[in-house]
Amino acid sequence: MSVLPLVFTSGWASGINAYAVVLLLGLLGATGVSDEVPAALERPDVLIVAAVLFLAEAIADKVPYVDSVWDAVHTVIRPIAGGVVAALLAGHDGSLPQLAAGAVGGSTALVSHLVKAGTRIAVNTSPEPASNIVVSLAEDLGVAGLVAFALFHPWIAAGIAAVLLVAGIAVVVVLWSRIRRYLRRRRARRAERRLAVADADAAPPAG
């Protein structure tokens, strides 16, 4: 129970940017800022790989449609990363609490990943690229801030993560309902134009 809020928060964050979670936790542990970080995340090879992948995601995540392709590829990777990080935080190799922590972290990461992916698809309907950059920066800052905060105030951070997760689900539902209405109207307008063109072609020539 003591590690559950940190597990939940790290799972939420992993669903948005798993590489940032691994990199940030590893750096905070390696520099001695926190004793809660497992040694496996502090290894130099893990930090280097996480840093390279974080930079790759930071670029891909800000380009319209490229971000959605990146999200699709990470539909499996982020939940697995969330589960692994959660299990490492729980410790006690192979124990039931560790397996439960992995399940919580992985499932939370999956839900937050789906929220992120759904939001990005909706954002990509915007004609300008600035919205992708703004949303991506907000996600990166939110993940970094909340993960660091969770190491010192885990229950408060978990509460914030839960609110953000629920709010994200609600936003995706609203955005998708509006997009569906927009697409229906656009299809109707196209059908009307095609019908008008067909009627004009079928009309007998004047005179």
Side-chain angles (χ1 to χ4, degrees):
M1 287 297 294
S2 61
V3 79
L4 181 60
L6 182 56
V7 163
F8 179 83
T9 303
S10 67
W12 169 83
S14 295
I16 297 174
N17 193 328
Y19 306 127
V21 173
V22 174
L23 179 61
L24 181 60
L25 287 176
L27 289 174
L28 291 175
T31 55
V33 175
S34 173
D35 297 328
E36 300 293 329
V37 180
L41 297 180
E42 301 175 8
R43 291 171 40 180
D45 55 338
V46 172
L47 292 175
I48 291 172
V49 172
V52 171
L53 292 173
F54 170 74
L55 290 175
E57 176 152 335
I59 296 171
D61 211 34
K62 294 172 179 60
V63 181
Y65 298 105
V66 173
D67 59 349
S68 291
V69 174
W70 184 272
D71 285 338
V73 172
H74 284 74
T75 299
V76 175
I77 297 175
R78 285 171 183 158
I80 291 176
V84 171
V85 170
L88 290 173
L89 289 171
H92 308 295
D93 291 344
S95 66
L96 183 59
Q98 186 181 41
L99 295 176
V104 171
S107 58
T108 306
L110 176 60
V111 175
S112 66
H113 163 76
L114 293 176
V115 169
K116 172 180 177 170
T119 303
R120 285 313 186 85
I121 293 174
V123 170
N124 282 334
T125 62
S126 174
E128 40 73 34
S131 55
N132 294 75
I133 297 175
V134 171
V135 171
S136 178
L137 288 174
E139 289 172 348
D140 293 343
L141 292 174
V143 165
L146 199 56
V147 169
F149 185 70
L151 290 173
F152 305 99
H153 304 282
W155 284 104
I156 299 176
I160 296 172
V163 170
L164 291 174
L165 187 60
V166 173
I169 294 172
V171 168
V172 169
V173 171
V174 171
L175 288 176
W176 273 99
S177 64
R178 292 184 176 180
I179 289 174
R180 284 196 298 268
R181 288 197 298 270
Y182 166 75
L183 293 175
R184 284 196 297 267
R185 289 195 298 268
R186 189 170 68 173
R187 285 194 296 266
R189 286 194 297 268
R190 286 180 176 177
E192 290 173 358
R193 284 196 295 267
R194 286 194 297 267
L195 183 59
V197 171
D199 289 342
D201 291 341

